[in-house]
Amino acid sequence: YLPAGTRTRATRLTDVLEATRDVETVLNLFQGLELVVTLGTFARDGWELLRARSSQIRSLDWQPVPHPSATNLNTRPEHRAQILHVMTKAAQRVR
């Protein structure tokens, strides 16, 4: 979420690079983490950057999916099935 007054501004590469600095710290809070699902292109690209830098992150199973925004899903309905498939598989892993 990137607030810009009363609106949300678009994500930029600099935002992704800034966020990657804190992701490893946050990941350490999740004991037994097995799978990461990234939502959207910027999240996927950020995760790829982290995988290149960290063996800890490379060792995690990872599934990128399209962003679940209404605009994306309404203009690309095939993305709904892709997201549902990955999330269903992820849910089955935690049972």
Side-chain angles (χ1 to χ4, degrees), residues 25 39 49 56-57 70 78:
T25 301
L39 304 168
L49 288 170
Q56 172 196 4
I57 289 176
E78 68 276 9

Side-chain angles (χ1 to χ4, degrees), residues 69-81:
S69 72
T71 301
N72 187 34
L73 297 180
N74 288 333
T75 59
R76 298 172 190 91
E78 68 276 9
H79 286 179
R80 292 174 188 267

Side-chain angles (χ1 to χ4, degrees), residues 7-20:
R7 306 188 77 180
T8 301
R9 71 171 175 78
T11 303
R12 297 182 289 239
L13 179 58
T14 55
D15 299 315
V16 173
L17 294 172
E18 182 181 337
T20 60

Side-chain angles (χ1 to χ4, degrees), residues 1 17 24 28 32 35 44 47 52 55 59 66 79 85 92:
Y1 174 71
L17 294 172
E24 277 189 276
N28 288 327
L35 173 67
R44 182 200 66 212
W47 194 255
S55 61
S59 69
H79 286 179
H85 174 76
Q92 291 170 349

